[in-house]
Amino acid sequence: MKLLEYQAISLFNQYQIPTMKSAVLSHGECFDDIAGAEDFRFPLVVKAQIASGGRGKAGGIRFAQTMKDARKHCRDLLGRELLGYTVYQVLLTEKADVRSEWYLSIILDRVDKCPMIIFSPEGGMDIEELARTQPQKILRLPIDPFIGVQPYTVSYLLAKSGLSPFYQDELYKVICRLYQLFLQQDALLTEINPLAVCGDDERIIALDGKVEIDDSALYRQKVWLQAREVMPEEDFVKEARAFNFLYIPVEKTGPVAVISNGSGMLMSCIDLIAKEGIQVSAALDLGGGATADRISQGLRIMLSTPGVKVVLINIFGGITRCDEVAQGVRDAVENYLGKGQFVIVRMEGTNKEKGVAMLEGMDNSLLMAEDIRQSVDLLVERRDLL
Amino acid sequence: MKLLEYQAISLFNQYQIPTMKSAVLSHGECFDDIAGAEDFRFPLVVKAQIASGGRGKAGGIRFAQTMKDARKHCRDLLGRELLGYTVYQVLLTEKADVRSEWYLSIILDRVDKCPMIIFSPEGGMDIEELARTQPQKILRLPIDPFIGVQPYTVSYLLAKSGLSPFYQDELYKVICRLYQLFLQQDALLTEINPLAVCGDDERIIALDGKVEIDDSALYRQKVWLQAREVMPEEDFVKEARAFNFLYIPVEKTGPVAVISNGSGMLMSCIDLIAKEGIQVSAALDLGGGATADRISQGLRIMLSTPGVKVVLINIFGGITRCDEVAQGVRDAVENYLGKGQFVIVRMEGTNKEKGVAMLEGMDNSLLMAEDIRQSVDLLVERRDLL
Amino acid sequence: MSVLINQETKVIVQGITGREGQFHTEQMLAYGTKVVAGVTPGKGGQEVHGVPVFHTVREAMEHTRADASVLFVPARFVKNSATEAIEAGVPLVVTIAEHVPVQDMMYCRRLARDRGVQLVGPNSFGIISPGKCKIGFMAHRIFSPGHVGIMSRSATNCYETVFMLTQKGIGQSTCVGVGGDMIPGSTFIDILPELNADENTKVIVLIGEIGGNEEELAAEYIKRHVKKPVVAVITGKNAPKGRSMGHAGAIVSADGTGSAQKKESALREAGVHIAESTRHIAEILLNLREEYEL
Amino acid sequence: MSVLINQETKVIVQGITGREGQFHTEQMLAYGTKVVAGVTPGKGGQEVHGVPVFHTVREAMEHTRADASVLFVPARFVKNSATEAIEAGVPLVVTIAEHVPVQDMMYCRRLARDRGVQLVGPNSFGIISPGKCKIGFMAHRIFSPGHVGIMSRSATNCYETVFMLTQKGIGQSTCVGVGGDMIPGSTFIDILPELNADENTKVIVLIGEIGGNEEELAAEYIKRHVKKPVVAVITGKNAPKGRSMGHAGAIVSADGTGSAQKKESALREAGVHIAESTRHIAEILLNLREEYEL
């Protein structure tokens, strides 16, 4: 689960990572609703909160020199569509007196399989470019969970970055607190870009924040579990989650949706279909042991995905029983199939014969395949119908 | 540093390990000085706080049925001599309704070199006897510092002790908290004996407590560093500590004291002297790099130990310079030597010749030896003078 | 011979009194697995399908000196149960559950390495040496004894492959589900040396995916140490990108780490047969059948 | 040959800019030790006796790939400095300071074992291979090259022994101060295999003390693996008892663990020559002199 900037900033505040003074306004509120709005030191930055990069260029980041400006920008941004997202919140922050911009993140590294600090003395917008062109300017340092962040970790980062030991204590505090946040919030990623050196006293301040929380850990991160329910997110994803399914948008549009009982087979299906030049718009992972009524609902969700003509179902039943699958498919085809839509089913495993028998005698809207390859072949043969 | 019972109990309270309601009275105070004394539920137990076992048999633990009893016992015990110690505090606790008594401690185990839980379902006074006769009734379980105390740790202790899982949650809490105390207070030993099961609801309550703090860690345990300064302790130990020396009482009495610049050589000396049937009353470890004036003071302290006739000094100078030693010895012999006392000196290392020359020409009160063996031989030859 | 487990392997089931634990204990016993003990805190003294239940793994180990433990416990209890098994000195610990918090696995993996314990999973079907022993919940009917050793990040792709192989009469020596999670207890290079050393394994199949660098590390190991033929498939070429909001993802993968292209080229360079799909794996193995007596 | 260190050993000095660090760096350099780098946080870029100083051990390792690090830092900084050296991958870490908090050493020892690092100390004079290399603060003039390998819990008893040996013309291969603390980084059994394998070491001397079980474990190892003669002394027979207030001490030592009697009988049973005193060690070695060409 990816947090929006204002949520990340609120975590930074909670963990005492220095940020600029800020306030959040939600849709329906106006600037003067902010408690103590008059205490803000102008200019302010007004930032639209959407789950997308590139909002600056799209007009989602604005500067307010006066109270009047701020009121206008808030009014203007809240509720507006930006890069395909509705702006439900704006974040207002005082503008920092930036001397230099660093990059700092702590991520769970798939390669080392432990947390990793990524640091660069040249942060800001061009960090990805820097990673490509001058990778040596980006330091990566694994954190041993049994050791944690130590003062020498930070000394090393500063020394290798050519920065003065002057920043040691403040940077150490920031990294320790970010690591605490990382651990306690079950984060997969925490990022501060830029981490700015500000003002004559060269204070280190987080000017932007990104945090991603491990979905598997949300059961013990109740705040974010609740927050997720009200976050702007695809309806299908939410609907599928209610049945404990994982709905994965694939291409922006496409006539095919795939369903399977494991992410591996889903990927196999998508690879085979893509190789034929046909686009898959979405995939649904049922996980293990789905029952007939849940399968029926999963199929309904995929059939209602805009633009979908065919749903391709591949089940290799370990625990899942084929007769349950057949029952669910039959039910969905009878009740939810739209005009011109059809379903291709391939299933293998426990009670296969029984399941196949249950699906026989259905009309052209339901095709049976023997294996994955054949299920894709049936699709390719009907390319014209897509 | 060994804490007194009331200090251990105060730590238990701080770490929310259940104890009986209690209060501490210091010398000069009386029962009615206790805030809320009238809320105590009688009977009370009044316990003299001394750094010695066996106080029960010596009359140091008394029961008070009434307020009047309590007043009398407090008055009676405070300031009194008991087993060689002055009673500066008494601890008053409500009497528990004990159903059974367990034993629990967490110590730093020298063998496994990690913390170890020791637990027995048969605690109380006879635990040492139990250790000898039925060692299988005493469980020892190491704690991996990278894992800590886990619920299964406690399940195992209960199962192996034949106790009901009923106690799981409460015992888990107690052990976790005791381990926290152990770590955060730099303890070498924490002990609860008895850990009693009390009342109809079978609550687990610590009825006595022993805690030993690592002297090397006192610099970061300021509370105990301060407490040590006012604790009843041998004056010599305190005086030596002021010069950064370690004063070690050996036998109760004896005509010999030994000084060296390392505990290993001190032990060697004591072993050699003891083998000759001569008793050593005290030893002084100078540590590394002592200067002339500090050596002089060390010698003064040993010379003033009651009953000491001879001080035997063995120095193997790595960093310590022999001329510094000689200067210090000379000074002490001239200023602090009592009637009939004498000093045997053996030194080796940097500037040895210079040092030896400085000590030549002193009278019979100062004898020079070539090595440890000879220093002991000189002592044995003068056995009659001891 | 077989890898990691065989007919002598003594197995503990953690969470044995739960619905899943009971069901799969029965399945494993029926398959011939020596399930010697179960563990459920607070339920010591009971029996499940004749298997004695203990409160703790330590007691179970004292009584049985088991070789392996399998965890049929919900995702949120995996950290505690795996830690218990590791601390109690079980040499092989298999975790099944999906959706285990990633940081829990980070901890368990770190601890297992430190203690020299082989941790397999989570999000894994387990391990099976067909005809000898199974530890996990895999649909064992599709497996058959033979000489192909399989390691897979995906359960369904492994089933699919095995199903085809068994249909063609090509059996398996040992199949290991290393699991599909971000931080698996064991990865390909932890299992490869075992399959490489196993004389009963004549060909090795690696079923990989995009993400991580397990396939790259495997390629390096294969290049140096493995003489046996290896067949690999990498799925997820057309999977949706992670839509990472931060720059960190882009920085970490700036060198292409984790892409199917990088993995396939590393494996190809190590002399591995690259399959286009699970069906293609079966086709390649059919070609190798005679030479290697599969 | 020599044990742990030799004339090629590249050494980092942590705390090199401190008074002790500077002094002993000079001493070590004068003795021939290859001190290749120093570390003091915040003082990177300086030089001490021509040795470059770095902010961190990791940088020092990147520049020098050193083999060992010695810590001339106050007791309260030992945990941090040792952790730094261990995490930076220094293979041998020697800690000198006395009065290191016991729990700090517990942590460092645990970490060193986990990471495969040889940690020696604290409260140790260090390690010396006479004529080749010294790491620590020992008074090196009393040492002489030869064939007696020494491990000692006590610095002064080791000095005493070495002094007598050198006077009699019996030299030493390597002397290791395992240190006198409750939780040493290495104990006799960590050093024994090295001395046993070293062809330059013909006789081994073990200088032990009451407390702990290091001598008992050494006896077990000697019994199984060591063919060379071993001479041991156990001091502290008449040391004051710990005056433990709790019962735990009595419980732990109820079986006699830690007593001089138990240690001596275990060693004797392993065929070790038991010396009554440090002087007695020298006497025993004089008897072995001819046979072993000491």
Side-chain angles (χ1 to χ4, degrees):
Chain A
M1 174 191 184
K2 286 157 189 158
L3 305 190
L4 291 171
E5 181 192 10
Y6 80 94
Q7 294 169 318
I9 294 289
S10 83
L11 274 180
F12 292 170
N13 291 336
Q14 183 184 329
Y15 284 87
Q16 297 182 284
I17 293 165
T19 60
M20 297 303 291
K21 189 179 170 186
S22 67
V24 181
L25 270 189
S26 292
H27 193 28
E29 296 177 318
C30 69
F31 181 78
D32 298 285
D33 290 336
I34 300 169
E38 61 281 6
D39 297 335
F40 267 121
R41 293 171 64 172
F42 284 80
L44 294 186
V45 192
V46 185
K47 295 192 270 187
Q49 301 296 295
I50 53 171
S52 167
R55 63 184 169 166
K57 285 182 188 160
I61 298 180
R62 305 190 180 179
F63 296 90
Q65 299 296 338
T66 63
M67 202 81 92
K68 199 179 153 197
D69 282 3
R71 284 193 195 99
K72 181 180 168 301
H73 291 321
C74 291
R75 220 169 29 232
D76 197 25
L77 286 170
L78 279 168
R80 166 190 183 148
E81 288 282 314
L82 205 66
L83 297 166
Y85 293 85
T86 307
V87 178
Y88 291 104
Q89 291 91 11
V90 293
L91 178 69
L92 297 99
T93 60
E94 292 183 355
K95 193 163 176 299
D97 171 20
V98 176
R99 305 297 164 98
S100 60
E101 295 191 332
W102 302 342
Y103 174 92
L104 172 66
S105 71
I106 297 179
I107 63 160
L108 200 64
D109 181 44
R110 291 191 68 150
V111 172
D112 281 347
K113 295 172 175 59
C114 65
M116 183 158 68
I117 301 172
I118 306 178
F119 181 81
S120 174
E122 300 183 17
M125 300 301 278
D126 299 327
I127 190 75
E128 287 190 33
E129 179 62 15
L130 192 71
R132 269 188 298 274
T133 56
Q134 301 184 67
Q136 78 285 357
K137 288 214 172 155
I138 298 180
L139 298 169
R140 305 168 181 202
L141 207 51
I143 302 175
D144 183 333
F146 289 170
I147 297 178
V149 176
Q150 296 292 330
Y152 58 78
T153 316
V154 178
S155 304
Y156 178 81
L157 293 174
L158 289 173
K160 294 291 279 190
S161 301
L163 294 172
S164 157
F166 168 84
Y167 302 110
Q168 171 77 24
D169 293 348
E170 270 211 77
L171 185 59
Y172 177 59
K173 267 189 228 158
V174 169
I175 296 182
C176 283
R177 288 163 182 178
L178 192 64
Y179 184 54
Q180 278 308 304
L181 184 163
F182 178 86
L183 291 180
Q184 292 174 1
Q185 301 290 318
D186 272 303
L188 297 176
L189 171 150
T190 59
E191 185 179 75
I192 305 176
N193 187 30
L195 181 63
V197 179
C198 300
D200 290 334
D201 52 353
E202 305 199 49
R203 288 188 55 227
I204 299 176
I205 299 175
L207 296 190
D208 195 354
K210 295 190 171 61
V211 172
E212 183 175 351
I213 308 289
D214 179 8
D215 287 326
S216 296
L218 284 179
Y219 75 87
R220 64 188 178 199
Q221 302 294 347
K222 304 262 190 254
V223 171
W224 302 121
L225 191 63
Q226 285 165 13
R228 187 173 66 172
E229 292 314 304
V230 297
M231 273 179 82
E233 202 177 13
E234 282 94 328
D235 289 338
F236 294 118
V237 173
K238 272 191 194 169
E239 205 180 343
R241 193 186 295 138
F243 294 102
N244 244 328
F245 297 148
L246 183 63
Y247 181 101
I248 309 150
V250 185
E251 304 281 350
K252 278 194 175 161
T253 59
V256 181
V258 295
I259 294 179
S260 187
N261 59 334
S263 64
M265 196 178 284
L266 276 180
M267 284 197 282
S268 283
C269 290
I270 296 170
D271 285 349
L272 287 172
I273 297 168
K275 214 175 172 194
E276 302 292 343
I278 301 172
Q279 288 198 309
V280 175
S281 64
L284 190 76
D285 187 349
L286 303 175
T291 51
D293 53 334
R294 287 177 62 229
I295 285 171
S296 166
Q297 291 303 312
L299 195 46
R300 177 182 62 74
I301 291 168
M302 300 317 269
L303 286 168
S304 58
T305 298
V308 163
K309 287 278 171 59
V310 195
V311 179
L312 192 144
I313 303 175
N314 262 296
I315 302 286
F316 202 111
I319 316 171
T320 316
R321 278 161 49 201
C322 293
D323 51 336
E324 286 278 338
V325 176
Q327 180 63 48
V329 170
R330 201 183 166 99
D331 182 54
V333 167
E334 281 168 0
N335 291 300
Y336 308 121
L337 204 68
K339 213 181 153 120
Q341 290 185 312
F342 62 99
V343 175
I344 301 173
V345 179
R346 179 270 177 145
M347 56 192 186
E348 194 61 65
T350 316
N351 294 349
K352 179 186 173 184
E353 292 70 25
K354 199 170 163 193
V356 170
M358 287 168 69
L359 291 178
E360 265 164 12
M362 307 262 309
D363 65 9
N364 282 345
S365 57
L366 193 139
L367 306 166
M368 301 292 292
E370 267 304 304
D371 58 26
I372 297 188
R373 182 67 251 171
Q374 203 199 337
S375 72
V376 174
D377 290 344
L378 288 172
L379 180 70
V380 173
E381 287 164 19
R382 283 155 188 78
R383 191 190 287 269
D384 298 345
L385 301 174
L386 303 180
Chain B
M1 174 190 182
K2 286 154 189 159
L3 306 190
L4 291 171
E5 181 191 11
Y6 79 94
Q7 295 168 317
I9 295 289
S10 84
L11 275 180
F12 292 171
N13 291 337
Q14 182 184 331
Y15 284 86
Q16 296 182 285
I17 294 166
T19 61
M20 296 303 290
K21 188 178 170 186
S22 67
V24 182
L25 268 189
S26 293
H27 193 27
E29 296 176 319
C30 69
F31 181 78
D32 298 285
D33 290 334
I34 301 170
E38 62 281 7
D39 296 335
F40 266 123
R41 292 172 63 173
F42 284 80
L44 295 186
V45 191
V46 184
K47 295 192 270 188
Q49 301 296 294
I50 53 170
S52 167
R55 63 185 168 166
K57 284 181 188 161
I61 299 180
R62 306 190 179 180
F63 297 90
Q65 299 296 337
T66 63
M67 203 83 90
K68 196 177 154 199
D69 282 359
R71 282 193 196 98
K72 180 179 169 300
H73 291 321
C74 291
R75 219 168 30 231
D76 198 24
L77 285 171
L78 278 168
R80 168 189 179 147
E81 288 283 315
L82 206 65
L83 298 165
Y85 294 84
T86 306
V87 179
Y88 291 102
Q89 291 91 11
V90 293
L91 177 70
L92 297 100
T93 61
E94 291 184 354
K95 193 162 177 299
D97 171 20
V98 176
R99 305 297 164 96
S100 59
E101 295 190 333
W102 302 341
Y103 174 91
L104 172 67
S105 71
I106 298 179
I107 64 160
L108 199 64
D109 182 43
R110 291 190 67 149
V111 172
D112 281 347
K113 295 174 175 57
C114 65
M116 183 159 67
I117 300 173
I118 305 178
F119 180 81
S120 174
E122 301 183 16
M125 299 302 278
D126 299 327
I127 190 74
E128 288 190 33
E129 178 65 15
L130 193 70
R132 270 187 298 275
T133 55
Q134 301 183 68
Q136 76 285 357
K137 288 213 171 155
I138 298 179
L139 298 169
R140 305 170 183 201
L141 208 51
I143 302 175
D144 183 334
F146 289 169
I147 298 178
V149 176
Q150 296 292 329
Y152 58 77
T153 315
V154 178
S155 304
Y156 179 81
L157 293 174
L158 288 173
K160 295 290 280 190
S161 301
L163 295 172
S164 158
F166 167 83
Y167 303 109
Q168 171 76 26
D169 294 347
E170 270 211 77
L171 185 58
Y172 177 58
K173 267 189 230 160
V174 168
I175 295 182
C176 283
R177 288 164 182 178
L178 192 63
Y179 184 53
Q180 278 308 304
L181 185 164
F182 178 85
L183 292 180
Q184 292 174 1
Q185 301 289 319
D186 271 302
L188 297 175
L189 172 149
T190 59
E191 184 179 75
I192 304 176
N193 186 30
L195 180 63
V197 179
C198 299
D200 291 335
D201 52 353
E202 303 199 50
R203 288 188 54 228
I204 299 176
I205 299 175
L207 295 191
D208 194 353
K210 293 188 173 62
V211 173
E212 183 175 350
I213 308 289
D214 179 6
D215 286 325
S216 297
L218 283 179
Y219 75 88
R220 64 188 178 198
Q221 301 294 347
K222 305 262 190 255
V223 171
W224 302 121
L225 190 64
Q226 285 165 12
R228 188 172 66 172
E229 292 314 304
V230 298
M231 274 180 79
E233 203 178 11
E234 283 95 326
D235 290 336
F236 294 117
V237 173
K238 272 191 194 170
E239 206 179 342
R241 193 186 296 136
F243 295 101
N244 245 328
F245 298 147
L246 183 64
Y247 181 101
I248 309 150
V250 185
E251 304 280 349
K252 278 194 175 159
T253 59
V256 182
V258 294
I259 294 179
S260 186
N261 59 335
S263 66
M265 196 179 285
L266 277 180
M267 283 197 283
S268 284
C269 289
I270 296 170
D271 286 350
L272 287 173
I273 297 168
K275 215 174 171 196
E276 302 292 343
I278 300 172
Q279 287 198 311
V280 175
S281 64
L284 190 75
D285 188 348
L286 303 175
T291 52
D293 54 333
R294 288 176 61 230
I295 286 172
S296 166
Q297 290 302 312
L299 195 47
R300 176 182 62 75
I301 293 168
M302 300 317 269
L303 286 168
S304 57
T305 297
V308 163
K309 287 278 172 58
V310 195
V311 178
L312 192 142
I313 304 174
N314 264 294
I315 302 286
F316 202 109
I319 316 173
T320 316
R321 280 160 47 200
C322 292
D323 52 334
E324 285 278 339
V325 176
Q327 180 62 47
V329 170
R330 201 183 166 100
D331 181 55
V333 167
E334 282 168 0
N335 292 299
Y336 308 121
L337 203 69
K339 214 181 152 123
Q341 290 187 312
F342 61 100
V343 175
I344 301 173
V345 179
R346 179 271 176 145
M347 55 191 185
E348 193 60 64
T350 315
N351 294 349
K352 180 185 169 184
E353 292 69 26
K354 199 169 163 193
V356 170
M358 286 168 70
L359 292 179
E360 266 165 12
M362 306 267 303
D363 65 7
N364 281 344
S365 56
L366 194 139
L367 308 166
M368 302 291 292
E370 265 306 303
D371 59 26
I372 299 188
R373 182 67 251 170
Q374 202 199 339
S375 73
V376 175
D377 289 344
L378 288 173
L379 181 70
V380 173
E381 287 164 19
R382 282 154 188 79
R383 189 190 289 269
D384 298 345
L385 301 175
L386 303 179
Chain C
M1 271 282 291
S2 52
V3 168
L4 297 175
I5 59 171
N6 59 38
Q7 53 271 63
E8 306 301 327
T9 306
K10 290 182 285 182
V11 180
I12 293 171
V13 176
Q14 291 179 252
I16 194 169
T17 58
R19 201 173 57 90
E20 297 263 304
Q22 287 191 35
F23 177 74
H24 290 292
T25 296
E26 193 174 14
Q27 294 281 308
M28 288 191 285
L29 285 168
Y31 196 68
T33 303
K34 289 209 164 103
V35 181
V36 294
V39 172
T40 302
K43 305 214 168 160
Q46 300 187 3
E47 281 198 359
V48 171
H49 301 300
V51 175
V53 179
F54 297 90
H55 293 294
T56 61
V57 179
R58 190 182 284 264
E59 287 166 276
M61 283 299 282
E62 286 172 358
H63 281 85
T64 66
R65 303 250 59 93
D67 306 294
S69 181
V70 56
L71 276 58
F72 284 103
V73 303
R76 64 185 69 184
F77 300 128
V78 163
K79 181 181 179 184
N80 193 274
S81 295
T83 302
E84 180 177 2
I86 293 166
E87 189 174 14
V90 183
L92 171 65
V93 178
V94 180
T95 75
I96 299 301
E98 48 182 350
H99 306 307
V100 177
V102 180
Q103 293 197 4
D104 289 1
M105 277 316 296
M106 173 183 88
Y107 173 85
C108 291
R109 182 183 153 96
R110 176 73 176 83
L111 195 68
R113 306 230 130 209
D114 168 42
R115 293 273 193 139
V117 169
Q118 182 113 41
L119 178 65
V120 173
N123 193 5
S124 153
F125 59 76
I127 309 172
I128 182 167
S129 286
K132 294 173 183 163
C133 181
K134 73 172 237 186
I135 298 183
F137 68 79
M138 70 291 288
H140 57 253
R141 283 172 211 84
I142 62 171
F143 293 84
S144 56
H147 306 295
V148 179
I150 304 182
M151 315 176 285
S152 179
R153 284 170 70 177
S154 150
T156 41
N157 282 330
C158 184
Y159 290 170
E160 193 72 36
T161 306
V162 166
F163 183 65
M164 283 183 280
L165 291 183
T166 293
Q167 277 189 325
K168 312 280 186 201
I170 299 177
Q172 305 88 42
S173 54
T174 298
C175 303
V176 183
V178 296
D181 273 18
M182 198 169 158
I183 298 204
S186 294
T187 62
F188 294 135
I189 44 160
D190 300 309
I191 311 298
L192 258 175
E194 308 270 347
L195 290 175
N196 195 31
D198 175 33
E199 50 191 41
N200 198 35
T201 299
K202 296 183 182 167
V203 178
I204 297 169
V205 171
L206 180 160
I207 301 175
E209 288 175 7
I210 53 164
N213 71 334
E214 285 78 8
E215 291 81 3
E216 287 88 332
L217 291 175
E220 217 168 284
Y221 185 90
I222 291 166
K223 202 170 175 181
R224 285 200 200 160
H225 303 291
V226 182
K227 297 264 155 59
K228 302 177 183 184
V230 181
V231 184
V233 68
I234 306 296
T235 64
K237 292 187 185 67
N238 302 89
K241 298 284 170 285
R243 296 193 302 170
S244 172
M245 268 172 62
H247 295 282
I251 292 173
V252 167
S253 56
D255 61 352
T257 303
S259 71
Q261 287 68 24
K262 189 122 179 178
K263 287 174 191 300
E264 287 190 350
S265 78
L267 286 164
R268 197 172 279 121
E269 209 195 312
V272 172
H273 303 261
I274 302 296
E276 289 299 317
S277 62
T278 49
R279 180 147 92 169
H280 193 193
I281 296 175
E283 288 161 13
I284 294 173
L285 288 176
L286 277 175
N287 286 334
L288 297 172
R289 177 181 228 159
E290 256 179 60
E291 188 179 351
Y292 292 93
E293 301 175 13
L294 300 180
Chain D
M1 270 281 292
S2 52
V3 167
L4 297 175
I5 59 172
N6 59 38
Q7 53 271 62
E8 305 301 326
T9 305
K10 289 183 284 183
V11 180
I12 293 170
V13 176
Q14 291 178 252
I16 194 169
T17 58
R19 200 171 58 88
E20 297 263 303
Q22 288 192 33
F23 177 74
H24 289 293
T25 296
E26 192 175 14
Q27 293 282 308
M28 288 191 285
L29 285 169
Y31 196 68
T33 304
K34 289 210 165 100
V35 180
V36 294
V39 172
T40 301
K43 305 215 168 159
Q46 300 187 2
E47 281 199 356
V48 171
H49 300 300
V51 176
V53 180
F54 297 89
H55 293 294
T56 61
V57 179
R58 190 182 283 266
E59 289 166 275
M61 283 298 282
E62 285 172 358
H63 281 85
T64 66
R65 302 248 61 90
D67 306 294
S69 183
V70 56
L71 275 59
F72 284 104
V73 303
R76 64 186 69 185
F77 300 128
V78 164
K79 181 181 180 184
N80 193 274
S81 295
T83 303
E84 180 177 1
I86 293 166
E87 190 174 14
V90 183
L92 171 65
V93 178
V94 181
T95 76
I96 300 300
E98 49 182 350
H99 305 308
V100 177
V102 181
Q103 293 197 5
D104 289 0
M105 276 317 295
M106 173 183 88
Y107 173 84
C108 292
R109 184 184 152 95
R110 176 74 176 80
L111 196 67
R113 310 234 127 205
D114 168 41
R115 293 275 192 140
V117 169
Q118 182 112 42
L119 178 65
V120 172
N123 192 5
S124 153
F125 58 77
I127 309 172
I128 182 168
S129 286
K132 295 175 182 162
C133 180
K134 73 173 235 185
I135 298 182
F137 68 79
M138 70 291 288
H140 56 251
R141 284 171 210 82
I142 61 171
F143 293 84
S144 55
H147 306 295
V148 179
I150 305 182
M151 316 176 283
S152 179
R153 285 170 70 177
S154 150
T156 40
N157 281 331
C158 184
Y159 290 169
E160 192 72 37
T161 305
V162 166
F163 183 66
M164 282 183 279
L165 292 183
T166 293
Q167 278 189 324
K168 313 275 185 202
I170 299 178
Q172 305 89 42
S173 54
T174 299
C175 303
V176 182
V178 298
D181 272 19
M182 199 170 159
I183 298 202
S186 294
T187 61
F188 295 135
I189 44 161
D190 300 308
I191 311 297
L192 258 176
E194 308 270 348
L195 290 175
N196 195 31
D198 175 32
E199 50 192 42
N200 198 34
T201 300
K202 297 183 180 167
V203 177
I204 298 169
V205 171
L206 180 161
I207 301 176
E209 288 175 7
I210 53 164
N213 71 334
E214 284 78 8
E215 291 80 3
E216 288 88 331
L217 292 175
E220 218 169 282
Y221 185 90
I222 290 166
K223 202 170 174 178
R224 286 198 199 161
H225 303 291
V226 181
K227 299 263 156 58
K228 302 178 185 184
V230 181
V231 183
V233 69
I234 306 296
T235 64
K237 292 186 185 69
N238 301 88
K241 298 282 171 284
R243 295 193 304 170
S244 172
M245 269 171 62
H247 295 283
I251 292 172
V252 168
S253 56
D255 60 354
T257 302
S259 72
Q261 287 68 26
K262 190 123 178 179
K263 288 174 191 299
E264 288 190 349
S265 78
L267 287 164
R268 196 172 280 122
E269 210 195 312
V272 172
H273 303 261
I274 302 296
E276 288 300 316
S277 62
T278 48
R279 179 146 94 169
H280 193 192
I281 296 176
E283 290 161 11
I284 295 172
L285 289 176
L286 277 175
N287 287 334
L288 298 172
R289 177 181 228 160
E290 255 180 61
E291 189 179 351
Y292 293 92
E293 300 174 16
L294 300 179

